[in-house]
Amino acid sequence: MSSAGPAAATPARRAPVWPLLYGIGLLAGATAAGLASLSLADALTATGLPDPGPVTTHGLPFVRAAGEIAAVIAVGSFMFAAFLVPPQRNRVLDAGGYRALRVGTFASGVWAVCALLMVALTVSDVSGQPLSTRLRPSDIWSVASLVEVAGAWRWTALFAAVVALVSIPVLRWSWTPMLFAGSLVTLLPLALTGHSSAGGAHDIATNSLLVHLVAGALWAGGLLALLVHALRGGEYADLAARRFSAVALWCFVAMAYSGVLNALVRVAPGDLVGSDYGRLVLAKAAALGVLGVLGWRQRRGGVAVLRADPGARGALIRLALVEAIVFGLTFGVAVALGRTPPPPPRQANPSIPMVEIGYDLAGPPTPARVLFDWRFDVLFGTAAIVCAIVYLAGVRRLRRRGDAWPAGRVAAWLLGCLALLLATSSGIGRYMPAMFSMHMAAHMLLSMLVPILLVLGAPVTLALRALPAAGRDQPPGPREWLLAALHSRVSRILTNPFVATALFVVGFYGLYFGGIFDAVVGSHAGHLAMNLHFLLSGYLFYWVVIGVDPTPRPLPPIGKLGMVFASLPLHAFFGVVLMGTTTVLGGAFYRSLHLDWHTDLLGDQRLGGGIAWAAGEVPLVVVLIALFVQWRRSDERTARRLDRAADRDDDADLAAYNAMLAELARRDRAGD
């Protein structure tokens, strides 16, 4: 690799890169506008709104599809710069990574502009007023706060603009993973609105749509970034193709899994042929199948040819061009699907709980219902199963090459994954959105028990031992990325004892007593965010306190003990405050569910406070035992090290110490 900066790199070879990207966006927009116009009459009949005019009718699906292509280009370009091609030795981006970064910057800006246009087009569409004659910019911006979808587009525009601006001065590799994560965040408001966020089973529909959008963005964006790199004749095309091929395979599995779940929620099998919505679902499924076949041929053809001859890019480019065109058509179909009214719900008069939380509850929580009345959480439940499988695969790799891995760590990790599954998918997870006490039970599991078990599993140490090292003068791989993250400035800040403790303790005081819980208790996105906060803040805290994995800021055992005794009593105090309060948290939402068996909201909240108070005892015992064991093992390692040193130098330190004592005694006698 060259040691010069991006500006000194070899000039890019001329290739039709930008016309290609524009063409894919235009293809997606035209497909979406054309298909959406076919179901316009049904959409207007379903909503009862007047026709907002041709600008909105054709412009909204066109701008949305073109904007989504820009979004996936940004995601793929930042991913390409971060993980598919290596930086230079001084961590400055190489030519290929720098060009991908600049494409991502431009695409993020286009995504922000399209999102702003979507605010106006959405207000026009919802109000039924033509955009060009009756709506003013000031009116649009004020009305957008009252329309959920328009408000989501405002957040999307803000996030995309921030990513674009932050990426402009970036030259070093260390920023690209954060830009990649930021580009994925711009997709979240879009995933949490629309058909999947309302009606029955919207919890499954929304979660599956989140998986679908992220997987689709990684697959389509990575493909376009790889195609651009190959057309420009960039270096490491063979390495980038191999890495992207592995990503694409997992994305295909995730898209198929989430797409089937989302379709089953929205349309019955009998409506797949008899409705426009069902036919678009079939068209999208067919496109996914075609993409899977093309990806398989790319893996068997283009990637294999590149592996044998890194300069032979013809097969890769030809297959990638066809795949990019199919992706453009697929995104157009997906946008048209969002504009098409779904078939009538299977339950004509859904209950209030089904509308609010996505499903009905059989009655008050009993031990049998808590243990056996499951509703699988697509995000956290799937994550628990995948994490268990990946961990076991890493242990198997170690043992196949003859390395040992403690069985206690395996048991701790698997128990942690099981506890995560129980907290989110069993009856606890099912009743969590409807009852404060069950919400608090899930909170305690996710923040106090699951993290303890997971950190005792030492996943980072396992990954560092199972992942192969890149080798001297070789491009960095997953093991090197993990080490870079472990020693990064962000990691050092987060593992600061005061920061970790503040996120763990102050976070839930602010959540429940700062008004945040009341604001988000009725939102599925709010519950996802709370669960993620409980899990990550707890993992960070216990990683610092009892984690087997190395931390950038190792603490002595006495410091870890101080963190435990300083923080866990605050959990007990929090429970005591909840048991004594007279104000019901989230009371308006819980009353709106009209559950006739759940009327004593204050009593349920006090029960939740008792759960919070009692739940701190078990983690305290586990943490103290773990600290005692680690402290004893540390002393044993120190003793063994001293014994080995004594064996090497014939106990020179002890002999010197005895000589010093003898000299002091001699001086004392001479003085007497």
Side-chain angles (χ1 to χ4, degrees):
M1 283 180 277
S2 170
S3 60
T10 303
R13 189 173 71 181
R14 288 191 174 185
V17 168
W18 289 108
L20 170 67
L21 298 180
Y22 294 147
I24 299 298
L26 291 174
L27 175 63
T31 302
L35 292 176
S37 64
L38 297 178
S39 59
L40 175 62
D42 292 338
L44 294 177
T45 301
T47 59
L49 295 172
D51 188 348
V55 174
T56 300
T57 299
H58 302 291
L60 189 149
F62 182 91
V63 171
R64 175 164 182 167
E68 289 185 8
I69 292 295
V72 301
I73 290 174
V75 170
S77 298
F78 291 135
M79 178 180 69
F80 192 90
F83 303 117
L84 299 190
V85 290
Q88 301 174 73
R89 292 181 182 177
N90 59 2
R91 294 292 181 176
V92 174
L93 291 172
D94 209 343
Y98 181 74
R99 294 179 191 135
L101 177 68
R102 295 283 73 89
V103 172
T105 300
F106 182 78
S108 296
V110 173
W111 178 221
V113 172
C114 289
L116 278 177
L117 293 175
M118 282 299 299
V119 175
L121 291 168
T122 301
V123 171
S124 172
D125 183 59
V126 172
S127 64
Q129 299 183 33
L131 182 65
S132 57
T133 58
R134 300 185 184 179
L135 293 175
R136 296 177 299 178
S138 58
D139 296 335
I140 291 172
W141 198 254
S142 60
V143 172
S145 60
L146 305 177
V147 180
E148 182 185 14
V149 178
W153 282 114
R154 288 202 307 184
W155 282 109
T156 300
L158 176 62
F159 293 157
V162 170
V163 171
L165 293 174
V166 170
S167 66
I168 291 175
V170 171
L171 292 176
R172 302 190 67 84
W173 174 84
S174 57
W175 280 90
T176 54
M178 290 183 280
L179 292 174
F180 169 56
S183 65
L184 288 174
V185 170
T186 66
L187 303 175
L188 297 184
L190 179 65
L192 297 173
T193 57
H195 287 170
S196 296
S197 64
H202 65 75
D203 57 327
I204 296 177
T206 302
N207 290 352
S208 60
L209 182 60
L210 277 170
V211 175
H212 202 73
L213 279 179
V214 171
L218 294 177
W219 189 3
L223 173 75
L224 292 173
L226 177 62
L227 178 58
V228 167
H229 185 73
L231 288 172
R232 284 175 163 171
E235 297 182 16
Y236 301 106
D238 56 329
L239 174 67
R242 292 198 306 270
R243 289 179 174 178
F244 172 70
S245 179
V247 173
L249 175 62
W250 285 104
C251 289
F252 174 77
V253 173
M255 288 190 71
Y257 165 66
S258 57
V260 169
L261 286 178
N262 202 282
L264 289 176
V265 168
R266 288 284 156 248
V267 59
D271 294 326
L272 287 174
V273 180
S275 65
D276 291 339
Y277 191 89
R279 286 188 286 270
L280 286 175
V281 169
L282 291 177
K284 189 177 176 184
L288 181 62
V290 172
L291 289 169
V293 172
L294 290 173
W296 175 78
R297 290 194 59 188
Q298 186 73 275
R299 193 182 185 95
R300 295 289 299 272
V303 177
V305 171
L306 270 178
R307 187 188 296 270
D309 181 8
R313 310 182 183 198
L316 173 72
I317 292 174
R318 287 191 298 271
L319 285 171
L321 278 172
V322 176
E323 201 171 351
I325 292 172
V326 177
F327 261 121
L329 294 171
T330 304
F331 273 78
V333 172
V335 171
L337 187 65
R339 294 284 293 163
T340 304
R346 303 172 194 178
Q347 189 171 348
N349 297 310
S351 64
I352 294 177
M354 180 171 287
V355 173
E356 293 293 336
I357 63 177
Y359 50 86
D360 281 322
L361 297 169
T366 62
R369 287 173 180 153
V370 169
L371 291 176
F372 304 112
D373 192 6
W374 282 51
R375 186 175 181 84
F376 186 72
D377 189 295
V378 177
L379 287 181
F380 293 100
T382 303
I385 296 173
V386 170
C387 287
I389 294 173
V390 171
Y391 189 93
L392 291 176
V395 174
R396 184 187 178 196
R397 174 177 290 187
L398 285 184
R399 291 180 176 173
R400 288 181 68 178
R401 72 185 188 201
D403 294 339
W405 185 255
R409 295 181 184 179
V410 178
W413 180 266
L414 294 181
L415 286 174
C417 293
L418 178 61
L420 175 60
L421 184 65
L422 289 172
T424 56
S425 299
S426 69
I428 298 174
R430 187 181 186 94
Y431 281 89
M432 177 177 59
M435 299 179 65
F436 185 85
S437 59
M438 301 304 288
H439 167 87
M440 189 56 60
H443 173 176
M444 292 297 107
L445 286 173
L446 291 174
S447 64
M448 303 286 279
L449 180 60
V450 175
I452 292 176
L453 295 171
L454 293 182
V455 298
L456 291 177
V460 176
T461 302
L462 175 63
L464 292 175
R465 292 182 59 184
L467 291 172
R472 185 177 180 85
D473 297 329
Q474 295 298 314
R479 189 176 187 277
E480 288 69 32
W481 300 333
L482 182 57
L483 284 172
L486 195 63
H487 296 96
S488 66
R489 183 177 301 176
V490 174
S491 182
R492 290 185 62 83
I493 293 174
L494 291 177
T495 55
N496 183 293
F498 296 103
V499 174
T501 303
L503 291 174
F504 183 58
V505 176
V506 179
F508 64 80
Y509 273 92
L511 171 66
Y512 293 107
F513 300 138
I516 300 176
F517 182 80
D518 286 317
V520 302
V521 64
S523 165
H524 179 69
H527 281 284
L528 291 179
M530 285 189 288
N531 288 346
L532 190 62
H533 168 73
F534 299 151
L535 190 61
L536 294 182
S537 62
Y539 187 94
L540 178 65
F541 177 80
Y542 289 112
W543 176 30
V544 176
V545 172
I546 60 170
V548 181
D549 292 326
T551 62
R553 295 176 177 271
L555 290 178
I558 192 65
K560 295 179 178 181
L561 197 62
M563 283 184 64
V564 172
F565 281 109
S567 60
L568 289 183
L570 295 176
H571 270 281
F573 179 72
F574 168 74
V576 172
V577 172
L578 273 182
M579 287 189 288
T581 188
T582 58
T583 302
V584 177
L585 299 176
F589 171 73
Y590 292 134
R591 294 187 189 95
S592 71
L593 296 179
H594 295 288
L595 299 173
D596 53 8
W597 46 265
H598 183 44
T599 55
D600 186 9
L601 300 183
L602 188 59
D604 183 68
Q605 180 171 295
R606 289 172 176 168
L607 175 60
I611 293 173
W613 174 75
E617 301 300 324
V618 175
L620 179 61
V621 173
V622 175
V623 168
L624 291 178
I625 292 174
L627 280 176
F628 173 76
V629 172
Q630 292 176 6
W631 203 337
R632 189 191 64 184
R633 289 178 178 175
S634 177
D635 290 342
E636 290 175 352
R637 286 193 297 267
T638 301
R640 287 195 298 268
R641 186 174 66 253
L642 293 175
D643 290 341
R644 288 194 299 268
D647 292 339
R648 286 194 302 268
D649 57 13
D650 292 330
D651 217 353
D653 290 340
L654 181 59
Y657 180 71
N658 290 333
M660 180 192 69
L661 293 179
E663 177 63 19
L664 291 175
R666 186 190 63 79
R667 291 179 181 179
D668 289 342
R669 289 194 300 270
D672 292 340

